Amino acid sequence: SLTEDGKFHPGVRVNDFAPRMTRYYSWGERQKRWLLGEQVFQDNQVVVTGYPRFDIKYQGGIIDRKNLPIGFLSSFDRISVFDNRSVFELVDGQRPPKNYYFSNRNVEDRYWCAVAHIRLLFELLDRCKEQGRKVLIRPHPNESLRDYDYLKKTYPENVSFCTDPDMGRFLEQVSSLVVLNSTAIVDAVLHKVPVICVEELLRGRYQEHFDWQEVRKKYLDHLWRPKSDVELDELLGKAQRGELKCLPQQEPFDEFIQDVYNLPSDHTAAYLIAQDVLKTLGESKKEQKPRGTLAGLLLFLRILARLGRNLVDRETWRIDRDYHLMFREPPAEETFLSNYRGL
């Protein structure tokens, strides 16, 4: 529950849990500076490791992206959810004070952004249909895949979908990435994919509804930002011809993600965390006896109960397979033991 500056969202009280912590693994130096400045932790308690979300395998060489489909990342999970909750449940669950992510906005502002984004998607698909371009859409993991049946019927020759949990495999299949706001932008840049942000196409009304200070990522300013449909078409054409570089200016983006996410790094965040945990355990002279078995069992049963409520029926599970909850058997080289056997 952190903003891009590494701060806790309004409504999250640090003192509720910070006193129980003896060690904190920080995304980057920016978050560490804030934690120390607010006197939440001491300097020796905070270790900068990076963000495990970006522990991905980058493509070593340059992929020839000529004539590949246009990539589109959706963010409609506020109005289209995999467990098929009613619109009343969605609005009730997202209105303050239940949702602390948007302390200066109400639930209808987030809905406006989602609907406006869908409208942009239709306009993009209409033009791509006229121009014979292909679009590969990656739904948000919390969205209902059933809702996309309409797009399959409306644009059968132009639209396909990627529900592979591995973001890298999706990015290998696209010539560019069209997005409104997503942390997957960092994945795309690390994979050398040109990123096109469509904020400007929503004109100034987007700023009226979106809580920029709490949610909007500052690195959006460093992406390709078309101000018209014509400019967007030109950028998409250049990308499919292999003539569009990843970013207009790489340096500002690199400085930001280094400060916030500790990228690039010689080691993954998971590796650095595991290394520090083992070091900390090795320095401890106390023998830790197993305890809390009953509490752990109760927590496990509680998680299973919540999971059971979310998987509403067999049909949902059959259609969605492993995409939403990311249940999959990782290849051997991706397991924890194989990655960190040398520690």
Side-chain angles (χ1 to χ4, degrees):
S1 300
L2 301 168
T3 67
E4 69 159 16
D5 290 333
K7 299 179 181 180
F8 294 94
H9 280 282
V12 178
R13 295 179 297 178
V14 179
N15 292 333
D16 286 347
F17 60 90
R20 303 183 181 91
M21 297 183 182
T22 58
R23 203 74 162 167
Y24 187 91
Y25 297 106
S26 172
W27 290 358
E29 293 292 342
R30 178 175 297 198
Q31 185 184 66
K32 181 177 180 178
R33 289 195 300 269
W34 177 76
L35 290 169
L36 299 183
E38 294 292 322
Q39 299 182 341
V40 179
F41 296 106
Q42 300 296 319
D43 182 68
N44 61 354
Q45 292 181 289
V46 183
V47 180
V48 174
T49 61
Y51 188 11
R53 158 75 174 75
F54 297 122
D55 283 356
I56 58 178
K57 296 179 179 177
Y58 316 124
Q59 191 68 28
I62 302 298
I63 296 178
D64 183 4
R65 301 186 181 278
K66 292 180 181 179
N67 300 317
L68 289 180
I70 298 164
F72 185 93
L73 281 182
S74 65
S75 55
F76 314 137
D77 54 306
R78 286 292 184 261
I79 59 177
S80 170
V81 292
F82 76 94
D83 57 359
N84 300 316
R85 276 172 283 170
S86 74
V87 67
F88 295 102
E89 291 176 282
L90 291 174
V91 171
D92 183 41
Q94 296 173 46
R95 62 190 176 95
K98 297 180 180 181
N99 189 338
Y100 52 75
Y101 284 95
F102 302 93
S103 60
N104 298 325
R105 298 287 187 275
N106 216 320
V107 57
E108 57 266 27
D109 291 288
R110 188 64 187 266
Y111 274 66
W112 186 97
C113 294
V115 173
H117 196 193
I118 291 176
R119 189 257 301 168
L120 281 183
L121 172 61
F122 276 116
E123 293 178 0
L124 172 66
L125 294 179
D126 286 342
R127 292 198 303 276
C128 288
K129 183 177 181 179
E130 295 173 0
Q131 300 163 356
R133 288 174 173 167
K134 306 291 186 182
V135 179
L136 181 62
I137 298 176
R138 188 177 194 271
H140 189 282
N142 285 337
E143 290 177 3
S144 170
L145 299 185
R146 293 173 178 172
D147 290 349
Y148 285 92
D149 289 344
Y150 180 79
L151 295 184
K152 295 177 185 177
K153 296 176 182 178
T154 309
Y155 306 95
E157 303 297 325
N158 303 88
V159 174
S160 57
F161 299 87
C162 177
T163 56
D164 192 320
D166 190 323
M167 176 64 72
R169 285 196 282 267
F170 164 70
L171 293 170
E172 290 173 0
Q173 303 175 59
V174 299
S175 59
S176 60
L177 185 67
V178 177
V179 66
L180 183 60
N181 184 36
S182 173
T183 53
I185 290 170
V186 178
D187 297 80
V189 174
L190 294 174
H191 280 81
K192 308 300 182 185
V193 178
V195 183
I196 302 171
C197 176
V198 293
E199 273 188 333
E200 299 286 349
L201 298 181
L202 293 176
R203 312 302 190 274
R205 297 183 64 192
Y206 182 65
Q207 300 180 36
E208 299 173 9
H209 295 275
F210 200 68
D211 197 342
W212 287 43
Q213 291 184 345
E214 293 177 13
V215 179
R216 186 185 183 274
K217 312 300 181 184
K218 291 185 177 64
Y219 52 64
L220 295 177
D221 295 331
H222 309 311
L223 309 177
W224 294 105
R225 300 175 60 82
K227 293 180 172 57
S228 67
D229 296 341
V230 173
E231 190 176 347
L232 174 60
D233 287 339
E234 291 176 353
L235 291 174
L236 294 175
K238 287 182 178 180
Q240 290 195 308
R241 294 191 300 270
E243 301 171 357
L244 189 66
K245 59 184 180 180
C246 183
L247 300 170
Q249 292 183 321
Q250 188 78 37
E251 186 175 351
F253 186 92
D254 290 345
E255 291 176 354
F256 182 83
I257 65 171
Q258 173 61 45
D259 196 30
V260 176
Y261 297 125
N262 196 43
L263 290 171
S265 175
D266 293 334
H267 298 289
T268 63
Y271 177 92
L272 295 175
I273 292 171
Q275 192 177 48
D276 187 76
V277 168
L278 290 176
K279 177 183 177 182
T280 303
L281 291 175
E283 294 173 351
S284 175
K285 296 181 180 180
K286 296 180 180 180
E287 293 185 1
Q288 300 293 329
K289 296 182 180 180
R291 58 183 178 178
T293 305
L294 179 59
L297 176 61
L298 291 175
L299 177 62
F300 177 71
L301 293 175
R302 186 177 175 183
I303 292 173
L304 284 181
R306 292 183 63 183
L307 179 62
R309 287 198 299 270
N310 285 333
L311 297 178
V312 292
D313 57 26
R314 288 188 177 183
E315 183 66 10
T316 298
W317 178 254
R318 184 187 69 80
I319 293 176
D320 296 343
R321 295 188 178 91
D322 65 348
Y323 182 58
H324 295 303
L325 300 179
M326 302 304 182
F327 288 149
R328 70 185 180 99
E329 186 67 26
E333 65 270 14
E334 294 184 16
T335 62
F336 181 88
L337 290 178
S338 62
N339 274 328
Y340 309 119
R341 187 178 289 114
L343 291 178

